Amino acid sequence: MSIQSDVNQSQTLYFLRNKMQAVAVISEETVKRFLTYSELIPIISSAFGQFSRGQDGGVVQPVRMMVPVQKHNGMCYVMPCLYDGYFSTKIVTFFKDNVDLPSHNAYISLFDGTNGAMRALIAGETITAKRTAAMSAVATKFLARSNSKILAILGTGTQARSHFLCLTSIFSFEEVRIWGRTFSKAEALAKELSCKPCESAEEAVRGADIIVTATSSSTPVLKYEWVKPGAHVNGVGACRSTWQELDPELMRNATVYADSMEAIVKESGDVILSKCDVYAEIGDLVNGTKEARADQTTVFKSLGLAVMDTVTSTFVYKKYCENELKCDK
């Protein structure tokens, strides 16, 4: 195997078995350069719709596989999907106790869906952060009230930052509040993003129109009595069947939406342990087959869909080909 490097962009093309099969290795820096919310949100919205159409939507996606790493309080997810001529598999790890490393680490392998040839190996942290925030943005556009003025974010990590950047790109908030278990982290992120740090989750949430929970907590951090009637909640943490981030009373009293009905009843502790009803998928709203009940208190419980990694990594790969190197599309 010979290797040709593009030193200027820190990218690599591998030429396998002298057949000129190019495999692009795309860095986080390049992903950040090519991936904007203005372009990503419509792509994610369309993927929601196609996913919820079932077989007619052309999305082939099994429920993700989780491998526990109990010794180190971590886990690994394997997320495959075939859609629109490309097949991708993301491997993402989550180690909540990491101190000097990100809690999430990910890579996405992208293949040609017509012949199985590998096209790219793409750094997955930025894609995961941005596509998750864009998923919440699509849900929020349907479910939040149009006059929403206050955003509350519970969490101080990567997803908190990405949700701030994404949601403030589509809403004009008068105030954004941030809370974290460690107040100094909330202060630091609030200073970076020019918003208000809060010493308690209740302080952050009271009166908020839109709430994001993006924590690594396994027990509820958002109480039902703090949430004002008609608020919209995006719950993106608590990714295991035994974890909860949202008060069971909130789940039972809100109208709950899922990214995947199949996955949420198997993987979401917020749903399983509260025994709440789940009204619809976000894709049903995109397709117009279910109501967006924005006059009620709503929850979007997000677990993540592999198809979102497929469409986002395909978009990045095509951008890379157009701007950097000649690729086999």
Side-chain angles (χ1 to χ4, degrees):
M1 178 187 296
S2 61
I3 299 176
Q4 173 183 322
S5 297
D6 178 354
V7 178
N8 291 334
Q9 300 298 335
S10 299
Q11 309 299 325
T12 305
L13 280 179
Y14 293 88
F15 293 90
L16 306 178
R17 301 191 183 97
N18 299 316
K19 293 182 180 180
M20 299 301 286
Q21 178 184 319
V23 179
V25 179
I26 304 177
S27 68
E28 291 288 357
E29 291 73 20
T30 299
V31 173
K32 290 175 183 177
R33 185 154 51 92
F34 290 150
L35 200 54
T36 65
Y37 286 120
S38 61
E39 292 179 295
L40 180 58
I41 291 172
I43 292 170
I44 294 298
S45 181
S46 175
F48 265 130
Q50 295 302 96
F51 176 80
S52 292
R53 291 180 61 213
Q55 290 185 343
D56 291 340
V59 179
V60 181
Q61 178 193 295
V63 174
R64 63 188 177 182
M65 180 179 72
M66 191 273 283
V67 180
V69 188
Q70 295 178 348
K71 182 178 179 180
H72 299 289
N73 199 20
M75 64 191 78
C76 174
Y77 288 101
V78 181
M79 302 173 66
C81 178
L82 171 66
Y83 176 63
D84 198 26
Y86 286 90
F87 175 82
S88 74
T89 299
K90 181 172 78 174
I91 297 179
V92 56
T93 60
F94 175 46
F95 284 69
K96 63 185 296 186
D97 297 334
N98 281 1
V99 176
D100 298 323
L101 292 171
S103 59
H104 292 76
N105 292 276
Y107 260 93
I108 300 168
S109 53
L110 185 68
F111 297 82
D112 189 317
T114 65
N115 57 28
M118 189 173 184
R119 295 302 182 206
L121 181 65
I122 308 173
E125 292 173 39
T126 298
I127 286 177
T128 300
K130 287 196 168 186
R131 66 81 153 145
T132 304
M135 289 171 69
S136 293
V138 173
T140 304
K141 288 174 73 174
F142 278 105
L143 299 174
R145 294 181 176 181
S146 59
N147 62 346
S148 295
K149 296 300 181 184
I150 299 175
L151 169 66
I153 299 174
L154 306 187
T156 58
T158 299
Q159 286 295 348
R161 181 180 289 102
S162 66
H163 275 73
F164 171 88
L165 295 171
C166 185
L167 292 174
T168 55
S169 74
I170 60 172
F171 285 91
S172 298
F173 296 110
E174 293 179 355
E175 184 177 52
V176 179
R177 308 166 185 165
I178 291 180
W179 170 83
R181 290 188 186 276
T182 304
F183 184 58
S184 60
K185 292 183 178 179
E187 285 185 305
L189 185 59
K191 182 178 180 180
E192 174 192 334
L193 302 177
S194 299
C195 49
K196 178 185 176 181
C198 295
E199 295 193 33
S200 71
E202 181 177 1
E203 178 190 354
V205 167
R206 288 279 187 187
D209 301 294
I210 298 169
I211 302 165
V212 175
T213 57
T215 74
S216 59
S217 180
S218 57
T219 57
V221 297
L222 178 61
K223 300 297 185 182
Y224 172 54
E225 59 264 28
W226 303 342
V227 179
K228 82 173 189 179
H232 170 65
V233 179
N234 294 303
V236 300
C239 54
R240 299 186 67 172
S241 61
T242 56
W243 289 10
Q244 291 175 283
E245 198 178 39
L246 308 176
D247 188 338
E249 283 299 307
L250 172 62
M251 297 298 291
R252 287 191 287 265
N253 285 278
T255 302
V256 178
Y257 296 80
D259 47 13
S260 165
M261 295 289 276
E262 179 184 11
I264 203 170
V265 298
K266 295 178 180 178
E267 297 185 1
S268 171
D270 282 317
V271 169
I272 295 167
L273 299 177
S274 70
K275 297 182 172 62
C276 71
D277 294 326
V278 181
Y279 172 64
E281 293 179 343
I282 296 300
D284 295 323
L285 305 185
V286 175
N287 295 334
T289 56
K290 290 288 182 72
E291 289 181 286
R293 296 179 175 175
D295 59 325
Q296 302 176 5
T297 302
T298 54
V299 171
F300 167 48
K301 183 58 199 176
S302 176
L303 289 170
L305 293 173
V307 67
M308 303 306 180
D309 300 313
T310 305
V311 296
T312 308
S313 58
T314 299
F315 174 80
V316 169
Y317 172 66
K318 290 181 176 179
K319 280 275 191 177
Y320 171 83
C321 292
E322 291 167 4
N323 289 271
E324 303 297 336
L325 297 163
K326 185 176 181 181
C327 305
D328 297 319
K329 300 182 188 179

